[in-house]
C-alpha cells in the first residue's frame, strides 16, 4: 500500500527566486478575469470564457484550495495562476494547470511557478498515484516545451474539444527545478 502525503493547511504561500505564489484573493479579480477572457491566453483553451459565465468564475476563484496567484516577489504584481486539481479527469491523478498574462510571457515565470507548485503538490496534495499530470494542446508548442523543461514526459495523445491534446506526466524523481 502506498503512502499519501499529508494535506497541508490552507492557505499556503510558496516562494521561488523571483516569485511569490499565494492563495488567490478577491482583489485579484481584475487579473484573473483577464486570464479567463484574453483571447491569446485562451487560444489553446477553447477561447475566452463566455461573458455570462464570468460571474460564477469571479465568485469562486478567491481562496480556492490548491489555487495560486503567481506574483512577482519585488512588486507583488499578479502575473498569472497555477492550480492543482487533486482529482482530475484522468484516473484521479493530480493535474496541474496554469496561465500567465501575455505581457509576462517569455521570462521563465511559468516554468518557475509550475515547477514550484508541482513540487509542493507531491508533499501536500494526497494521491494514490505517484505522478502529477498536465494536459495541453499539441499545437501549444510553448506549453509543451515548458512541461518538458520541468521534467514532464509526453505519455499520451487524444482528441478533446476538437483538438489534439498531449498528456504529460512527472513523478517526484523526474521533476526538474523551474529556473
Amino acid at each position: 500500500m502506498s503512502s499519501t502525503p499529508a494535506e497541508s493547511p490552507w492557505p499556503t504561500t510558496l516562494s521561488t527566486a523571483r516569485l511569490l505564489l499565494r492563495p488567490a484573493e478577491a482583489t485579484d479579480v481584475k487579473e484573473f478575469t483577464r486570464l479567463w477572457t484574453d483571447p491569446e491566453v485562451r487560444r489553446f483553451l477553447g477561447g475566452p470564457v463566455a461573458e455570462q459565465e464570468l460571474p460564477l468564475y469571479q465568485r469562486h476563484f478567491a481562496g480556492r484550495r490548491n489555487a495560486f496567484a503567481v506574483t512577482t516577489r519585488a512588486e507583488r504584481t499578479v502575473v498569472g495562476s497555477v492550480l492543482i486539481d487533486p482529482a482530475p479527469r484522468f484516473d484521479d491523478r493530480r493535474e496541474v494547470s496554469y496561465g500567465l498574462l501575455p505581457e509576462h510571457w517569455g521570462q521563465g515565470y511559468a516554468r518557475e511557478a509550475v515547477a514550484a507548485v508541482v513540487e509542493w503538490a507531491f508533499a501536500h496534495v494526497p494521491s494514490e498515484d505517484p505522478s502529477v499530470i498536465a494536459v495541453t494542446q499539441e499545437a501549444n508548442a510553448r506549453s509543451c516545451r515548458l512541461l518538458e523543461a520541468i521534467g514532464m514526459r509526453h505519455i499520451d495523445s487524444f482528441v478533446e474539444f476538437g483538438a489534439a491534446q498531449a498528456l504529460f506526466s512527472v513523478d517526484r524523481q523526474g521533476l526538474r527545478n523551474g529556473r
Side-chain angles (χ1 to χ4, degrees), residues 20-155:
L20 184 69
L21 295 89
R22 59 162 174 76
E25 301 168 353
T27 56
D28 301 327
V29 70
K30 178 181 168 192
E31 293 85 356
F32 273 70
T33 298
R34 280 195 57 215
L35 288 169
W36 302 320
T37 60
D38 184 285
E40 204 48 35
V41 172
R42 302 287 303 176
R43 178 176 172 202
F44 297 106
L45 298 169
V49 171
E51 193 171 326
Q52 64 270 23
E53 293 178 33
L54 279 177
L56 181 64
Y57 279 70
Q58 292 166 334
R59 275 195 305 275
H60 295 289
F61 83 97
R64 183 174 172 192
R65 190 172 191 82
N66 304 334
F68 295 88
V70 179
T71 69
T72 58
R73 284 179 70 94
E75 300 85 17
R76 301 292 199 262
T77 302
V78 176
V79 299
S81 70
V82 180
L83 166 73
I84 292 286
D85 187 343
R89 312 166 282 163
F90 302 94
D91 301 322
D92 291 328
R93 291 182 280 184
R94 296 164 288 201
E95 182 176 354
V96 65
S97 57
Y98 49 90
L100 259 67
L101 295 169
E103 62 269 25
H104 302 289
W105 292 357
Q107 299 176 52
Y109 288 155
R111 185 176 56 249
E112 194 172 322
V114 172
V117 172
V118 169
E119 181 178 20
W120 172 84
F122 284 127
H124 299 288
V125 180
S127 177
E128 291 296 321
D129 189 279
S131 66
V132 172
I133 61 169
V135 175
T136 190
Q137 277 192 25
E138 288 182 359
N140 190 345
R142 292 177 79 147
S143 188
C144 291
R145 284 193 307 269
L146 177 155
L147 297 171
E148 290 166 350
I150 67 166
M152 287 193 150
R153 294 177 346 278
H154 181 217
I155 61 168

Side-chain angles (χ1 to χ4, degrees), residues 153-173:
R153 294 177 346 278
H154 181 217
I155 61 168
D156 198 8
S157 295
F158 58 96
V159 174
E160 185 176 47
F161 309 119
Q165 307 289 324
L167 176 65
F168 286 81
S169 179
V170 68
D171 61 22
R172 189 185 301 257
Q173 293 73 32

